[in-house]
Every structure is written in structure tokens, then in C-alpha cells.
């Protein structure tokens, strides 16, 4: 009572993702919904909001590049939240905000937004050679 195993077809069967007649699988949320935004995108938006707030008062910030990096490359014991690089020949001034160190130090979105703004204000103040309070009068009050 040996039942022979049928030979495998030479061509593989096409795989179907339409299981149980429910349609093709797709993203959980459409791209315009905040649920689909990654943490990095949300953080970048916080930095951009802070920059736009400062550019209204300081139009010369339009020439500064604002960059978000995940982590700083450092050998120091303390981890910076941001850095400012002055303009050099062929490269505009740059303000860098480090995403992961800021995220680790905050618990919620509102707290993160406040810390991002403080970091941006501090770096802009360093770049302009001013006190943070003169860059944003509400610095340290939130």
C-alpha cells in the first residue's frame, strides 16, 4: 500500500497574498496619517518647527543648515544633545541635533518638543555668539 508521492512541478507555484478573499495586504495606515510617521520623521518635524519659530525673529538663520543625526561620534564621557559648526569656505554654518540622546532624556512628546527647542536655541546662540535668552526670550521658562 505504498502511495507514490506525485512529482514536484518544475515551475514553482505562484504565491498568493489574497488569503481568505480579503484582498491584498497593505499598510496599516495611509501615509498622511500621523500613525505612519516614523520616530525619526516626527523628531525632524519638531526640529523644523523650532527652526521656523526662530527664523521669524532671526532671518539670517535661513543660511544655516539644520541637521538631525541619530547619535554623535564622540569619545567623551558626556553625550552632547547638539552641536554648532561655524561656516567655512564652501560650507554654510550648521546646527546638529542628536535624536537618540534627546529621546532618551525625555518621556513624552511635549517634553521632547521643549528639549528640542532648548537644544536648537542653545546651538543657535552659540553660533551667533549670543546668550540663549536673547535668541529666544522664552528660553528656560517653559
Amino acid at each position: 500500500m505504498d502511495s507514490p508521492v506525485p512529482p514536484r512541478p518544475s515551475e514553482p507555484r505562484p504565491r498568493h497574498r489574497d488569503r481568505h478573499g480579503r484582498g491584498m495586504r497593505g499598510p496599516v495606515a495611509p501615509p498622511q496619517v500621523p500613525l505612519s510617521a516614523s520616530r525619526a520623521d516626527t523628531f525632524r518635524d519638531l526640529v523644523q518647527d523650532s527652526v521656523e519659530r526662530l527664523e521669524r525673529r532671526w532671518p539670517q538663520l535661513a543660511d544655516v543648515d539644520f541637521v538631525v543625526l541619530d547619535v554623535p561620534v564622540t569619545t567623551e564621557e558626556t553625550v552632547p544633545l547638539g552641536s554648532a559648526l561655524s561656516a567655512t569656505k564652501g560650507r554654510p554654518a550648521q546646527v546638529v541635533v542628536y535624536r537618540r540622546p534627546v529621546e532618551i532624556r525625555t518621556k513624552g512628546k511635549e517634553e521632547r518638543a521643549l528639549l528640542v527647542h532648548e537644544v536648537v536655541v542653545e546651538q543657535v546662540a552659540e553660533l551667533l555668539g549670543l546668550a540663549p535668552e536673547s535668541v529666544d526670550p522664552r528660553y528656560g521658562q517653559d
Side-chain angles (χ1 to χ4, degrees), residues 110-131:
E110 293 158 5
E111 189 178 337
R112 187 170 301 130
L114 290 173
L115 184 56
V116 165
H117 186 66
E118 282 186 11
V119 170
V120 170
V121 168
E122 289 168 359
Q123 300 309 317
V124 166
E126 183 179 326
L127 194 65
L128 298 176
L130 301 169

PDB file of all heavy atoms in Angstrom, residues 110-131:
ATOM      1  N   GLU A 110       5.509  66.189  24.471  1.00  0.00           N
ATOM      2  CA  GLU A 110       5.595  67.598  24.860  1.00  0.00           C
ATOM      3  C   GLU A 110       6.952  67.914  25.487  1.00  0.00           C
ATOM      4  O   GLU A 110       7.571  68.938  25.182  1.00  0.00           O
ATOM      5  CB  GLU A 110       4.466  67.943  25.832  1.00  0.00           C
ATOM      6  CG  GLU A 110       3.099  67.886  25.183  1.00  0.00           C
ATOM      7  CD  GLU A 110       1.984  67.685  26.198  1.00  0.00           C
ATOM      8  OE1 GLU A 110       2.259  67.678  27.410  1.00  0.00           O
ATOM      9  OE2 GLU A 110       0.836  67.539  25.757  1.00  0.00           O
ATOM     10  N   GLU A 111       7.414  67.007  26.348  1.00  0.00           N
ATOM     11  CA  GLU A 111       8.724  67.190  26.972  1.00  0.00           C
ATOM     12  C   GLU A 111       9.832  67.149  25.910  1.00  0.00           C
ATOM     13  O   GLU A 111      10.786  67.916  25.964  1.00  0.00           O
ATOM     14  CB  GLU A 111       8.937  66.089  28.014  1.00  0.00           C
ATOM     15  CG  GLU A 111      10.149  66.283  28.884  1.00  0.00           C
ATOM     16  CD  GLU A 111      10.277  65.178  29.916  1.00  0.00           C
ATOM     17  OE1 GLU A 111       9.266  64.533  30.262  1.00  0.00           O
ATOM     18  OE2 GLU A 111      11.412  64.953  30.363  1.00  0.00           O
ATOM     19  N   ARG A 112       9.679  66.268  24.940  1.00  0.00           N
ATOM     20  CA  ARG A 112      10.655  66.159  23.851  1.00  0.00           C
ATOM     21  C   ARG A 112      10.669  67.430  23.012  1.00  0.00           C
ATOM     22  O   ARG A 112      11.731  67.934  22.643  1.00  0.00           O
ATOM     23  CB  ARG A 112      10.326  64.948  22.978  1.00  0.00           C
ATOM     24  CG  ARG A 112      11.380  64.660  21.923  1.00  0.00           C
ATOM     25  CD  ARG A 112      11.142  63.325  21.249  1.00  0.00           C
ATOM     26  NE  ARG A 112      11.169  62.275  22.253  1.00  0.00           N
ATOM     27  CZ  ARG A 112      10.237  61.339  22.382  1.00  0.00           C
ATOM     28  NH1 ARG A 112       9.220  61.302  21.560  1.00  0.00           N
ATOM     29  NH2 ARG A 112      10.331  60.423  23.324  1.00  0.00           N
ATOM     30  N   ALA A 113       9.494  67.985  22.718  1.00  0.00           N
ATOM     31  CA  ALA A 113       9.420  69.219  21.935  1.00  0.00           C
ATOM     32  C   ALA A 113      10.109  70.369  22.667  1.00  0.00           C
ATOM     33  O   ALA A 113      10.818  71.168  22.053  1.00  0.00           O
ATOM     34  CB  ALA A 113       7.965  69.572  21.633  1.00  0.00           C
ATOM     35  N   LEU A 114       9.932  70.452  23.993  1.00  0.00           N
ATOM     36  CA  LEU A 114      10.582  71.507  24.779  1.00  0.00           C
ATOM     37  C   LEU A 114      12.102  71.345  24.769  1.00  0.00           C
ATOM     38  O   LEU A 114      12.834  72.323  24.593  1.00  0.00           O
ATOM     39  CB  LEU A 114      10.070  71.488  26.217  1.00  0.00           C
ATOM     40  CG  LEU A 114       8.638  71.943  26.431  1.00  0.00           C
ATOM     41  CD1 LEU A 114       8.217  71.717  27.875  1.00  0.00           C
ATOM     42  CD2 LEU A 114       8.483  73.399  26.048  1.00  0.00           C
ATOM     43  N   LEU A 115      12.573  70.106  24.938  1.00  0.00           N
ATOM     44  CA  LEU A 115      14.016  69.884  24.953  1.00  0.00           C
ATOM     45  C   LEU A 115      14.630  70.139  23.580  1.00  0.00           C
ATOM     46  O   LEU A 115      15.708  70.725  23.480  1.00  0.00           O
ATOM     47  CB  LEU A 115      14.344  68.464  25.432  1.00  0.00           C
ATOM     48  CG  LEU A 115      15.833  68.143  25.577  1.00  0.00           C
ATOM     49  CD1 LEU A 115      16.517  69.131  26.513  1.00  0.00           C
ATOM     50  CD2 LEU A 115      16.019  66.714  26.062  1.00  0.00           C
ATOM     51  N   VAL A 116      13.941  69.733  22.519  1.00  0.00           N
ATOM     52  CA  VAL A 116      14.440  70.002  21.157  1.00  0.00           C
ATOM     53  C   VAL A 116      14.578  71.502  20.953  1.00  0.00           C
ATOM     54  O   VAL A 116      15.599  71.976  20.434  1.00  0.00           O
ATOM     55  CB  VAL A 116      13.514  69.381  20.092  1.00  0.00           C
ATOM     56  CG1 VAL A 116      13.792  69.949  18.716  1.00  0.00           C
ATOM     57  CG2 VAL A 116      13.675  67.871  20.065  1.00  0.00           C
ATOM     58  N   HIS A 117      13.577  72.256  21.358  1.00  0.00           N
ATOM     59  CA  HIS A 117      13.644  73.710  21.182  1.00  0.00           C
ATOM     60  C   HIS A 117      14.790  74.311  21.991  1.00  0.00           C
ATOM     61  O   HIS A 117      15.504  75.185  21.502  1.00  0.00           O
ATOM     62  CB  HIS A 117      12.316  74.367  21.553  1.00  0.00           C
ATOM     63  CG  HIS A 117      12.289  75.830  21.263  1.00  0.00           C
ATOM     64  ND1 HIS A 117      12.339  76.341  19.986  1.00  0.00           N
ATOM     65  CD2 HIS A 117      12.269  76.901  22.096  1.00  0.00           C
ATOM     66  CE1 HIS A 117      12.333  77.657  20.038  1.00  0.00           C
ATOM     67  NE2 HIS A 117      12.293  78.025  21.311  1.00  0.00           N
ATOM     68  N   GLU A 118      14.980  73.831  23.219  1.00  0.00           N
ATOM     69  CA  GLU A 118      16.090  74.336  24.034  1.00  0.00           C
ATOM     70  C   GLU A 118      17.433  74.044  23.374  1.00  0.00           C
ATOM     71  O   GLU A 118      18.317  74.900  23.355  1.00  0.00           O
ATOM     72  CB  GLU A 118      16.047  73.720  25.430  1.00  0.00           C
ATOM     73  CG  GLU A 118      15.022  74.348  26.342  1.00  0.00           C
ATOM     74  CD  GLU A 118      15.098  73.813  27.760  1.00  0.00           C
ATOM     75  OE1 GLU A 118      16.079  73.115  28.098  1.00  0.00           O
ATOM     76  OE2 GLU A 118      14.175  74.096  28.523  1.00  0.00           O
ATOM     77  N   VAL A 119      17.586  72.835  22.840  1.00  0.00           N
ATOM     78  CA  VAL A 119      18.846  72.464  22.185  1.00  0.00           C
ATOM     79  C   VAL A 119      19.081  73.348  20.967  1.00  0.00           C
ATOM     80  O   VAL A 119      20.187  73.867  20.760  1.00  0.00           O
ATOM     81  CB  VAL A 119      18.845  70.968  21.799  1.00  0.00           C
ATOM     82  CG1 VAL A 119      20.029  70.635  20.918  1.00  0.00           C
ATOM     83  CG2 VAL A 119      18.850  70.094  23.036  1.00  0.00           C
ATOM     84  N   VAL A 120      18.048  73.561  20.161  1.00  0.00           N
ATOM     85  CA  VAL A 120      18.191  74.395  18.962  1.00  0.00           C
ATOM     86  C   VAL A 120      18.539  75.827  19.360  1.00  0.00           C
ATOM     87  O   VAL A 120      19.437  76.443  18.776  1.00  0.00           O
ATOM     88  CB  VAL A 120      16.912  74.344  18.089  1.00  0.00           C
ATOM     89  CG1 VAL A 120      16.956  75.380  16.986  1.00  0.00           C
ATOM     90  CG2 VAL A 120      16.725  72.954  17.497  1.00  0.00           C
ATOM     91  N   VAL A 121      17.864  76.367  20.382  1.00  0.00           N
ATOM     92  CA  VAL A 121      18.144  77.733  20.840  1.00  0.00           C
ATOM     93  C   VAL A 121      19.583  77.837  21.346  1.00  0.00           C
ATOM     94  O   VAL A 121      20.297  78.790  21.009  1.00  0.00           O
ATOM     95  CB  VAL A 121      17.137  78.167  21.938  1.00  0.00           C
ATOM     96  CG1 VAL A 121      17.587  79.445  22.622  1.00  0.00           C
ATOM     97  CG2 VAL A 121      15.754  78.356  21.335  1.00  0.00           C
ATOM     98  N   GLU A 122      20.028  76.865  22.142  1.00  0.00           N
ATOM     99  CA  GLU A 122      21.394  76.902  22.669  1.00  0.00           C
ATOM    100  C   GLU A 122      22.430  76.862  21.545  1.00  0.00           C
ATOM    101  O   GLU A 122      23.423  77.592  21.580  1.00  0.00           O
ATOM    102  CB  GLU A 122      21.624  75.731  23.621  1.00  0.00           C
ATOM    103  CG  GLU A 122      20.888  75.866  24.933  1.00  0.00           C
ATOM    104  CD  GLU A 122      20.891  74.588  25.740  1.00  0.00           C
ATOM    105  OE1 GLU A 122      21.457  73.563  25.285  1.00  0.00           O
ATOM    106  OE2 GLU A 122      20.321  74.603  26.854  1.00  0.00           O
ATOM    107  N   GLN A 123      22.207  76.032  20.544  1.00  0.00           N
ATOM    108  CA  GLN A 123      23.169  75.913  19.448  1.00  0.00           C
ATOM    109  C   GLN A 123      23.165  77.160  18.562  1.00  0.00           C
ATOM    110  O   GLN A 123      24.211  77.606  18.098  1.00  0.00           O
ATOM    111  CB  GLN A 123      22.908  74.647  18.629  1.00  0.00           C
ATOM    112  CG  GLN A 123      23.012  73.366  19.424  1.00  0.00           C
ATOM    113  CD  GLN A 123      24.294  73.268  20.227  1.00  0.00           C
ATOM    114  OE1 GLN A 123      25.373  73.587  19.741  1.00  0.00           O
ATOM    115  NE2 GLN A 123      24.174  72.844  21.479  1.00  0.00           N
ATOM    116  N   VAL A 124      21.999  77.728  18.337  1.00  0.00           N
ATOM    117  CA  VAL A 124      21.917  78.967  17.558  1.00  0.00           C
ATOM    118  C   VAL A 124      22.600  80.100  18.324  1.00  0.00           C
ATOM    119  O   VAL A 124      23.320  80.911  17.738  1.00  0.00           O
ATOM    120  CB  VAL A 124      20.445  79.315  17.223  1.00  0.00           C
ATOM    121  CG1 VAL A 124      20.314  80.738  16.716  1.00  0.00           C
ATOM    122  CG2 VAL A 124      19.897  78.334  16.202  1.00  0.00           C
ATOM    123  N   ALA A 125      22.396  80.146  19.639  1.00  0.00           N
ATOM    124  CA  ALA A 125      23.043  81.167  20.460  1.00  0.00           C
ATOM    125  C   ALA A 125      24.559  81.035  20.386  1.00  0.00           C
ATOM    126  O   ALA A 125      25.272  82.036  20.265  1.00  0.00           O
ATOM    127  CB  ALA A 125      22.574  81.050  21.902  1.00  0.00           C
ATOM    128  N   GLU A 126      25.050  79.804  20.443  1.00  0.00           N
ATOM    129  CA  GLU A 126      26.493  79.587  20.334  1.00  0.00           C
ATOM    130  C   GLU A 126      27.002  80.024  18.960  1.00  0.00           C
ATOM    131  O   GLU A 126      28.056  80.640  18.847  1.00  0.00           O
ATOM    132  CB  GLU A 126      26.809  78.108  20.568  1.00  0.00           C
ATOM    133  CG  GLU A 126      28.286  77.803  20.541  1.00  0.00           C
ATOM    134  CD  GLU A 126      28.562  76.330  20.798  1.00  0.00           C
ATOM    135  OE1 GLU A 126      27.828  75.706  21.576  1.00  0.00           O
ATOM    136  OE2 GLU A 126      29.528  75.819  20.205  1.00  0.00           O
ATOM    137  N   LEU A 127      26.240  79.727  17.941  1.00  0.00           N
ATOM    138  CA  LEU A 127      26.625  80.085  16.578  1.00  0.00           C
ATOM    139  C   LEU A 127      26.658  81.599  16.384  1.00  0.00           C
ATOM    140  O   LEU A 127      27.558  82.141  15.749  1.00  0.00           O
ATOM    141  CB  LEU A 127      25.647  79.444  15.588  1.00  0.00           C
ATOM    142  CG  LEU A 127      26.019  79.403  14.135  1.00  0.00           C
ATOM    143  CD1 LEU A 127      27.253  78.522  13.933  1.00  0.00           C
ATOM    144  CD2 LEU A 127      24.872  78.848  13.318  1.00  0.00           C
ATOM    145  N   LEU A 128      25.689  82.300  16.962  1.00  0.00           N
ATOM    146  CA  LEU A 128      25.597  83.752  16.816  1.00  0.00           C
ATOM    147  C   LEU A 128      26.418  84.505  17.865  1.00  0.00           C
ATOM    148  O   LEU A 128      26.556  85.727  17.780  1.00  0.00           O
ATOM    149  CB  LEU A 128      24.130  84.206  16.900  1.00  0.00           C
ATOM    150  CG  LEU A 128      23.187  83.661  15.825  1.00  0.00           C
ATOM    151  CD1 LEU A 128      21.758  84.113  16.105  1.00  0.00           C
ATOM    152  CD2 LEU A 128      23.638  84.081  14.446  1.00  0.00           C
ATOM    153  N   GLY A 129      26.932  83.800  18.862  1.00  0.00           N
ATOM    154  CA  GLY A 129      27.706  84.444  19.908  1.00  0.00           C
ATOM    155  C   GLY A 129      26.857  85.257  20.859  1.00  0.00           C
ATOM    156  O   GLY A 129      27.280  86.298  21.357  1.00  0.00           O
ATOM    157  N   LEU A 130      25.647  84.784  21.116  1.00  0.00           N
ATOM    158  CA  LEU A 130      24.711  85.481  21.997  1.00  0.00           C
ATOM    159  C   LEU A 130      24.298  84.570  23.145  1.00  0.00           C
ATOM    160  O   LEU A 130      24.565  83.374  23.135  1.00  0.00           O
ATOM    161  CB  LEU A 130      23.457  85.891  21.209  1.00  0.00           C
ATOM    162  CG  LEU A 130      23.654  86.806  20.009  1.00  0.00           C
ATOM    163  CD1 LEU A 130      22.372  86.896  19.208  1.00  0.00           C
ATOM    164  CD2 LEU A 130      24.104  88.179  20.473  1.00  0.00           C
ATOM    165  N   ALA A 131      23.612  85.148  24.112  1.00  0.00           N
ATOM    166  CA  ALA A 131      23.042  84.354  25.200  1.00  0.00           C
ATOM    167  C   ALA A 131      21.746  83.706  24.698  1.00  0.00           C
ATOM    168  O   ALA A 131      21.022  84.301  23.881  1.00  0.00           O
ATOM    169  CB  ALA A 131      22.746  85.250  26.392  1.00  0.00           C
TER     170      ALA A 131
END
